[in-house]
Amino acid sequence: MRNAKVILVGSFGRPSMKSLFAELGKDVAVVEKVEEKRKELIKIHLDSSKFSVGKKLNKADFSIENSVVIRWGNRIPMNMHNCVVYNQSSAINNASNKKRARTILNEKKVSIPKLITKENFKEEDLPIVARPSYHCKCKNIILLRTKEKFLEHYERNEPRGWYYSKIIDKDFEYRIHCAHGKVLSISEKPRPKNKETFGWGYSVVEEEWRVLHWNEYKAVWCKHALNAVAALGLDFGAVDIIVKDKKAYVLEVNTAGSLTESPYLRKRYSQYFNWLLNSKARREHWDFNKFEVGKSLAWKNGQF
């Protein structure tokens, strides 16, 4: 594939992703990772508005040259030559490994919940959340309520990739979609209609979130999120943050977040992806440190 506009995706099929791709130019190709009989293949959709037809190939038989490529959560090795690539696989690897991501963010002085080890443990850290390096949504959460339980779990599982964090009793949770040093959209995660549950529960994830107006953007939230994306080496990402007593903490950065939050969000991503794909030269990032007001950090329509 030469002189193309390409989006590389992982497991394809989310309705929100399909609706986004339908808004891109028809000359955009979507390359999807598929597995058949334990064999890794790729499936090429040459018209981003139609997904009923796709050509399957062995990954080794496929290459991309002189093209603009967006990796959306796809970190598998690919034969690429002289391409402009947004979200390099190494950066996606950083974000996907949640323990590595937290370690990098901590080293880069990005505000996160305290990362706890047996060396820095304090009694006031209890209870402690334990999670494996690879997880999604509200799965794989273990709550450790005593020092003995923490040390027992830590000795057994930390070498296998688990990490440990202090619980922040959040007031709000937001997802901040960052792109090239600006903010595409901020959505507030809905609270459960029933009794409060730890993490607010998986049950609310697929509900429509409240989209914040630019005038509601707080510069401190935006800069924490933008710093997190930059620290991991990404061009764009969806940053989950929590706020307690007006202090923000980054939880994670998603490189292929669900777009079910709102139709507005899908529109913003289609504008951003088209902006990237319609230039053969690499698009430069905005210097977000030059802005001090929250709404100034928002992507304006005229900037696409």
Side-chain angles (χ1 to χ4, degrees):
M1 183 176 289
R2 297 170 179 261
N3 301 311
K5 302 175 183 179
V6 184
I7 298 180
L8 301 180
V9 300
S11 299
F12 181 77
R14 289 178 178 170
S16 60
M17 292 171 67
K18 289 183 178 180
S19 64
L20 166 67
F21 295 144
E23 296 180 18
L24 302 177
K26 291 186 178 182
D27 57 341
V28 176
V30 178
V31 178
E32 167 195 4
K33 182 184 76 171
V34 295
E35 291 186 9
E36 289 185 359
K37 299 179 180 180
R38 298 184 181 179
K39 188 174 183 180
E40 191 174 75
L41 306 173
I42 61 168
K43 189 174 182 181
I44 308 169
H45 306 271
L46 293 175
D47 182 342
S48 64
S49 64
K50 299 176 182 178
F51 295 98
S52 58
V53 178
K55 182 179 180 181
K56 293 181 183 178
L57 291 174
N58 289 322
K59 189 177 67 175
D61 298 330
F62 178 73
S63 64
I64 308 172
E65 299 180 23
N66 303 318
S67 299
V68 181
V69 180
I70 297 173
R71 282 188 177 271
W72 196 6
N74 178 310
R75 52 197 167 95
I76 63 174
M78 190 74 67
N79 295 324
M80 287 191 281
H81 309 282
N82 195 32
C83 292
V84 174
V85 182
Y86 296 105
N87 274 8
Q88 295 283 352
S89 57
S90 58
I92 296 174
N93 275 322
N94 286 340
S96 300
N97 185 318
K98 305 305 182 184
K99 180 179 182 178
R100 184 189 303 160
R102 288 280 183 104
T103 301
I104 293 171
L105 296 178
N106 196 47
E107 291 172 349
K108 296 287 187 177
K109 309 299 182 185
V110 176
S111 177
I112 62 172
K114 180 182 176 181
L115 196 58
I116 300 170
T117 66
K118 65 179 182 180
E119 289 77 21
N120 70 3
F121 168 83
K122 294 182 179 180
E123 289 285 345
E124 56 263 34
D125 294 331
L126 294 169
I128 293 169
V129 176
R131 304 197 77 177
S133 292
Y134 295 95
H135 59 75
C136 62
K137 298 177 180 174
C138 289
K139 300 176 182 178
N140 305 113
I141 296 176
I142 294 179
L143 202 59
L144 305 171
R145 299 183 181 276
T146 67
K147 179 180 180 179
E148 293 71 26
K149 290 289 186 183
F150 163 66
L151 291 175
E152 177 188 356
H153 194 282
Y154 188 95
E155 292 290 347
R156 186 173 67 253
N157 293 293
E158 192 277 339
R160 298 164 53 198
W162 286 66
Y163 67 98
Y164 303 82
S165 303
K166 183 177 176 63
I167 293 176
I168 305 295
D169 184 21
K170 63 192 175 188
D171 297 322
F172 304 97
E173 182 170 346
Y174 301 99
R175 178 163 287 181
I176 302 181
H177 295 267
C178 302
H180 267 66
K182 287 235 175 175
V183 174
L184 290 178
S185 176
I186 302 179
S187 301
E188 181 181 353
K189 183 176 182 179
R191 298 168 182 264
K193 297 183 174 66
N194 315 359
K195 184 179 179 181
E196 180 76 2
T197 57
F198 175 70
W200 292 1
Y202 170 52
S203 60
V204 300
V205 171
E206 299 304 328
E207 293 180 15
E208 187 165 303
W209 298 24
R210 184 180 77 86
V211 178
L212 274 63
H213 189 275
W214 294 346
N215 289 332
E216 298 179 82
Y217 287 14
K218 302 296 183 185
V220 64
W221 307 345
C222 296
K223 289 196 174 185
H224 279 315
L226 290 163
N227 276 317
V229 170
L232 296 175
L234 294 163
D235 293 298
F236 63 92
V239 185
D240 289 341
I241 70 165
I242 54 175
V243 177
K244 177 64 178 178
D245 298 329
K246 298 183 180 181
K247 182 175 173 66
Y249 304 85
V250 172
L251 298 182
E252 65 178 346
V253 182
N254 302 279
T255 59
S258 172
L259 301 180
T260 57
E261 296 165 34
S262 69
Y264 172 78
L265 178 63
R266 293 190 287 277
K267 177 182 177 182
R268 297 286 275 171
Y269 264 99
S270 68
Q271 290 174 323
Y272 172 59
F273 281 0
N274 277 320
W275 180 76
L276 294 180
L277 294 168
N278 288 331
S279 173
K280 292 184 177 180
R282 174 173 293 279
R283 297 287 194 180
E284 297 298 324
H285 287 230
W286 288 84
D287 181 359
F288 56 85
N289 291 308
K290 292 182 177 179
F291 302 93
E292 298 301 328
V293 179
K295 65 181 180 181
S296 297
L297 292 162
W299 266 110
K300 305 303 190 298
N301 290 334
Q303 292 172 337
F304 284 111

